[in-house]
């Protein structure tokens, strides 16, 4: 039996588009600002937290759902001396986009970001908690779990489509910083200096760091580390040794990899790799 302070991860090879985490006692959990490639949804089971999504700050508590679009920088940390328990689910955005299109919820086949950061609706909250509980048992087959997932997200996004966001969403013009971000993604294992990267794109290093952080809510260095951790998560799920992943991901040693990984995932690489056995 794992201690309640350890996160529990659930995955199913027959449902590769979804990953679920349960934390029963997260009072000592801390997250550095980070992002995911997947669309994410969490349920606060106990306690209170400050939830930062991009530049928006929310106070969340038991009964709240929190939503994060792919690549949105966020962090959710419990208030001091507060109990803290939650479910967090990550869904492949392409699977979700296809589901919503085929179900008639959306009219476009490509992914469209959700418009709210938080939802406080008892029925949607309770249904999500029940969904998580059902996924983490052996009561249902993989096919039945797929049906449960599909049914819930059609219900949720039908609701989201009818609700106006509390913050304005604006389309940003073409921005050269996206070229820098793409370069950092493609060369994330290289330790090129910010000065070198700045020159490649015609920026001064001070301007690049300042503008990049303002736009992406993290520095170029943090963005590159975040991408390395994302790739490290994929390698862990494939069963690769932690030491090998640390080396291939460009970290100085395994301890450095583990420290950065825990800052962004709130779990050690070993805890993340270990999945619930049903």
């Amino acid at each position: 039996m794992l201690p309640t302070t350890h996160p529990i991860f659930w995955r199913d090879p027959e449902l590769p588009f979804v990953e679920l985490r349960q934390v029963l006692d997260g009072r000592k959990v801390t997250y550095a600002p980070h992002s995911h490639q997947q669309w994410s949804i969490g349920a606060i089971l106990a306690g209170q937290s400050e939830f930062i999504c991009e530049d928006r700050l929310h106070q969340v508590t038991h009964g709240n759902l929190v939503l994060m679009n792919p690549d949105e920088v966020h962090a959710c940390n419990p208030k001091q001396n507060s109990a803290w328990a939650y479910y967090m689910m990550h869904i492949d955005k392409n699977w979700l986009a296809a589901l919503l299109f085929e179900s008639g919820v959306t009219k476009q086949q490509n992914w469209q970001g959700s418009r709210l950061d938080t939802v406080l609706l008892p029925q949607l909250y309770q249904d999500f908690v029940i969904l998580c509980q059902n996924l983490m048992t052996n009561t249902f087959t993989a096919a039945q779990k797929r049906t449960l997932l599909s049914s819930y997200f059609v219900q949720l996004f039908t609701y989201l489509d009818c609700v106006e966001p509390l913050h304005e969403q604006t389309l940003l013009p073409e921005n050269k910083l996206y070229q820098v971000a793409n370069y950092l993604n493609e060369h994330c294992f290289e330790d090129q200096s910010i000065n070198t990267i700045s020159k490649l794109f015609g920026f001064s290093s001070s301007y690049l760091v300042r503008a990049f952080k303002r736009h992406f809510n993290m520095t170029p260095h943090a963005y590159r580390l975040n991408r390395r951790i994302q790739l490290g998560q994929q390698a862990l799920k494939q069963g690769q040794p932690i030491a090998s992943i640390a080396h291939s991901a460009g970290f100085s040693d395994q301890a450095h990899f583990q420290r950065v990984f825990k800052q962004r995932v709130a779990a050690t690489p070993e805890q993340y790799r270990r999945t619930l056995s049903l």
Side-chain angles (χ1 to χ4, degrees), residues 176-203:
K176 200 173 182 180
L177 291 173
Y178 285 111
Q179 297 176 23
V180 178
N182 186 59
Y183 183 86
L184 290 169
N185 280 333
E186 294 180 350
H187 300 268
C188 66
F189 295 140
E190 302 172 17
D191 282 319
Q192 294 180 336
S193 69
I194 298 303
N195 189 47
T196 298
I197 296 171
S198 300
K199 288 180 179 178
L200 280 175
F201 292 92
F203 296 125

Side-chain angles (χ1 to χ4, degrees), residues 12-160:
D12 187 328
E14 295 187 55
L15 304 169
F17 53 85
V18 59
E19 174 180 291
L20 177 64
R21 170 209 303 254
Q22 181 188 41
V23 173
L24 297 176
D25 182 358
R27 286 172 294 176
K28 295 184 179 180
V29 168
T30 57
Y31 281 100
H34 63 286
S35 65
H36 307 282
Q37 293 178 294
Q38 306 94 334
W39 182 82
S40 306
I41 175 172
I44 313 303
L45 302 176
Q48 297 178 318
S49 170
E50 287 190 343
F51 171 47
I52 299 173
C53 190
E54 297 290 287
D55 59 352
R56 304 178 294 274
L57 176 63
H58 305 274
Q59 305 294 329
V60 293
T61 187
H62 169 73
N64 272 114
L65 294 175
V66 294
L67 315 178
M68 290 142 281
N69 283 312
D71 301 316
E72 279 191 338
V73 178
H74 60 274
C76 195
N77 294 306
K79 291 189 174 181
Q80 190 172 14
N81 300 321
S82 171
W84 184 235
Y86 61 91
Y87 283 115
M88 180 59 64
M89 184 183 294
H90 305 293
I91 300 284
D92 180 84
K93 65 180 181 181
N94 295 320
W95 178 86
L96 189 51
L99 168 70
L100 298 176
F101 175 74
E102 292 165 5
S103 303
V105 178
T106 59
K107 297 180 180 180
Q108 294 179 308
Q109 297 187 48
N110 59 312
W111 167 253
Q112 303 293 312
S114 52
R115 300 186 297 166
L116 295 180
D117 298 333
T118 65
V119 172
L120 185 57
L121 197 66
Q123 190 62 57
L124 284 173
Y125 172 84
Q126 191 59 41
D127 287 350
F128 180 72
V129 170
I130 292 172
L131 171 65
C132 293
Q133 292 170 343
N134 289 337
L135 291 178
M136 299 182 78
T137 70
N138 57 5
T139 305
F140 300 94
T141 66
Q144 290 172 322
K145 289 179 179 180
R146 179 188 289 265
T147 299
L148 293 172
L149 284 159
S150 300
S151 176
Y152 179 77
F153 287 115
V154 167
Q155 174 192 8
L156 173 65
F157 276 83
T158 299
Y159 167 78
L160 294 177

Side-chain angles (χ1 to χ4, degrees), residues 172-236:
L172 297 174
E174 285 290 327
N175 192 321
K176 200 173 182 180
L177 291 173
Y178 285 111
Q179 297 176 23
V180 178
N182 186 59
Y183 183 86
L184 290 169
N185 280 333
E186 294 180 350
H187 300 268
C188 66
F189 295 140
E190 302 172 17
D191 282 319
Q192 294 180 336
S193 69
I194 298 303
N195 189 47
T196 298
I197 296 171
S198 300
K199 288 180 179 178
L200 280 175
F201 292 92
F203 296 125
S204 70
S205 56
S206 60
Y207 172 82
L208 176 61
V209 171
R210 188 169 61 252
F212 196 95
K213 185 173 183 179
R214 185 169 61 246
H215 193 80
F216 291 101
N217 288 288
M218 61 175 74
T219 66
H221 176 67
Y223 186 92
R224 182 165 55 190
L225 282 179
N226 191 77
R227 179 58 177 158
R228 290 181 184 181
I229 294 303
Q230 289 176 345
L231 295 174
Q233 288 176 278
Q234 294 177 19
L236 284 166

